[in-house]
Amino acid sequence: MILQELRIDPARLVSGVERLGKIGALEGGGVCRLALTPSEKLGRDHLVAEMKALGLKVAIDPIGNIFGTRKGRREGPAVMLGSHIDTVATGGLYDGALGVLAGLEVIATLNDGNIETDLPVVVAAFTNEEGARFAPDMLGSLVFVGGLPLADALDIVSIDGKRLGDELEAIGYAGTDQGPEEVAAYFELHIEQGPVLEDEKIEIGVVLGVQGISWTELTIRGRSAHAGTTPIRLRRDAGLAAARIAAGVGAFVRALGGDQVGTVGAITLTPNLVNVVAEKAVMTVDLRNPDEALLQAAEAKLAALIEQIAGEEDVTIERRGLARFEPVDFTPALIENIDGTAKALGLSTRRLFSGAGHDAQMLARIAPAAMIFVPSVNGISHNITEYTEPADLANGANVLLQVTLKQALPTNGEEA
Ligand code: GLV
Ligand code: MN
Ligand code: MN
């Protein structure tokens, strides 16, 4: 068999995405599989069963990362294909799931063709990539690469007040296995989650790296008071301070321009009642930029804004860093491999930087790593209407298959 002619089964891939998409499905579309919740446990159980059905040896590590290994002719460093199956609370079927399920589709294709690789091929699903329930994001892959001590990770508390280690135990995924000791190369297929590929009618995004991420939680404390009787000049209004910070973030991000983005995605007021001046506000600020120096400049703007508003509104503002990751560049040889492979498959390509965080940025700390993007319809993601056309899913999975073969079977092209 000429290995360059090997292709994945598009219908089987789509069916895999749809089956996982039924787990944690929301009425009206989309899914909620927040990390380490009962619905995510069901997703994990499903994934483990699928891995076993494909003959993979399943390992669960102490942070709950799931690894399914297909043996190679040799022991040694593995080619890893991965992503995540946790979602935001109002997520779609493709973010993360595609990278894991396309990994399984690569395995199924190798199995069907009776193809032995030199190196083992591992499919990985990393814990809590989204960071929506436990911060930071990319937590499982961060622990896997040694970037965060396990004990510290297990002590992280969720937005609903639960300790990560306890939640991991509760769903039965506090594993005792070790993940692969050495990774020869890491590939992650993911939806773009933005509009560029669709807009330019490009089939495959060749990802150069991931922009820097800075997440801060602010706790603003003022004084609750009667909304009718308290003169404005005598208020210490935490709600107003939060609103001014949100507006201020929007203003400085616009003024900085370029690639700078900033988001206030969560604000919780206490006591959150119509006729009570809020005594407390807890809010988040997400700043991102592909350039570390510019990201630091944005962080400095935020710091100045906080100081200004604290003074003007007579409130105290406490800051807690939730996540801070510098921009990451992927491995040039793998970038070339992806671009060349996609072109050889007759697909149009474009190089781009990722706006979203991904497990690949953590794996890049210990191994050559790169990513393949496929278009997102209307550029929409972190939204229940997230969608990618079946033909694009198949294109991405075929690129994943071929780059895997090149990496795991350096004799690719000869008879299997
Ligand atoms: C995580 O996926 C993020 O980019 O927010
Ligand atoms: Mn993702
Ligand atoms: Mn996501």
Side-chain angles (χ1 to χ4, degrees):
M1 180 193 299
I2 308 286
L3 292 178
Q4 283 99 329
E5 291 175 7
L6 197 65
R7 296 291 178 269
I8 61 98
D9 177 341
R12 185 170 56 191
L13 174 62
V14 169
S15 143
V17 171
E18 287 173 354
R19 279 182 291 123
L20 180 58
K22 291 205 169 76
I23 301 175
L26 296 167
E27 259 177 60
V31 286
C32 176
R33 283 194 308 269
L34 284 166
L36 312 187
T37 54
S39 67
E40 200 233 9
K41 174 209 171 4
L42 294 178
R44 287 167 172 266
D45 292 349
H46 171 81
L47 176 64
V48 168
E50 299 265 301
M51 285 179 163
K52 287 186 174 160
L54 287 168
L56 301 184
K57 183 164 183 282
V58 176
I60 316 286
D61 77 4
I63 196 67
N65 295 323
I66 301 172
F67 301 98
T69 300
R70 185 179 190 268
K71 278 176 89 142
R73 286 190 196 112
R74 304 195 261 126
E75 305 257 314
V79 175
M80 188 182 280
L81 318 178
S83 200
H84 59 98
I85 65 160
D86 69 314
T87 70
V88 295
T90 51
L93 271 61
Y94 305 88
D95 177 358
L98 176 60
V100 177
L101 298 174
L104 294 188
E105 179 54 35
V106 167
I107 300 290
T109 306
L110 297 179
N111 287 354
D112 289 351
N114 272 323
I115 292 158
E116 270 196 314
T117 51
D118 284 338
L119 303 181
V121 179
V122 175
V123 178
F126 292 102
T127 294
N128 188 60
E129 188 277 345
E130 291 292 1
R133 185 165 182 235
F134 298 93
D137 48 353
M138 287 84 69
L139 180 132
S141 48
L142 181 63
V143 171
F144 176 67
V145 303
L148 175 66
L150 174 67
D152 294 358
L154 295 176
D155 276 339
I156 290 170
V157 175
S158 67
I159 52 170
D160 46 330
K162 302 275 171 58
R163 186 178 163 271
L164 190 148
D166 297 341
E167 293 295 86
L168 203 52
E169 293 273 356
I171 63 162
Y173 278 86
T176 52
D177 304 320
Q178 250 209 319
E181 268 174 38
E182 223 185 317
V183 179
Y186 176 82
F187 292 109
E188 183 165 350
L189 170 62
H190 206 283
I191 54 167
E192 182 200 346
Q193 309 184 270
V196 174
L197 297 177
E198 180 184 65
D199 182 55
E200 297 182 8
K201 300 193 171 42
I202 300 283
E203 289 158 310
I204 294 291
V206 181
V207 188
L208 297 169
V210 178
Q211 67 178 341
I213 300 176
S214 169
W215 286 2
T216 309
E217 179 187 77
L218 304 177
T219 300
I220 305 171
R221 288 196 170 82
R223 185 177 56 215
S224 63
H226 194 290
T229 61
T230 316
I232 295 291
R233 72 189 158 79
L234 297 178
R235 293 184 184 197
R236 298 178 57 217
D237 186 341
L240 179 60
R244 288 191 62 195
I245 289 173
V249 167
F252 79 66
V253 163
R254 281 198 181 132
L256 289 171
D259 293 320
Q260 183 63 51
V261 289
T263 306
V264 173
I267 301 183
T268 317
L269 300 184
T270 306
N272 206 30
L273 295 169
V274 62
N275 56 354
V276 184
V277 173
E279 68 176 4
K280 182 172 150 190
V282 180
M283 67 191 295
T284 57
V285 183
D286 172 324
L287 298 174
R288 305 195 197 198
N289 199 304
D291 183 302
E292 173 62 21
L294 295 178
L295 183 56
Q296 286 182 19
E299 290 175 316
K301 292 272 184 206
L302 177 63
L305 177 68
I306 289 168
E307 205 167 310
Q308 177 202 337
I309 303 297
E312 289 177 8
E313 298 300 336
D314 193 18
V315 293
T316 63
I317 305 181
E318 204 180 294
R319 302 160 48 147
R320 186 163 74 97
L322 297 179
R324 181 63 167 88
F325 301 117
E326 289 187 13
V328 171
D329 290 325
F330 289 143
T331 310
L334 298 197
I335 292 171
E336 294 301 333
N337 183 0
I338 290 170
D339 206 345
T341 300
K343 288 194 174 105
L345 288 169
L347 301 168
S348 52
T349 68
R350 177 205 207 277
R351 297 185 178 204
L352 76 179
F353 230 69
S354 173
H358 295 292
D359 294 306
Q361 78 193 81
M362 298 309 165
L363 270 291
R365 295 188 186 189
I366 60 155
M371 293 187 74
I372 305 158
F373 275 178
V374 287
S376 291
V377 171
N378 295 323
I380 299 284
S381 185
H382 284 187
N383 182 312
I384 60 168
T385 64
E386 177 183 280
Y387 185 67
T388 291
E389 298 287 352
D392 290 319
L393 301 178
N395 287 341
N398 275 319
V399 175
L400 186 68
L401 170 68
Q402 288 297 326
V403 294
T404 301
L405 281 170
K406 277 189 197 158
Q407 218 69 40
L409 187 64
T411 51
N412 182 14
E414 295 167 18
E415 298 291 307

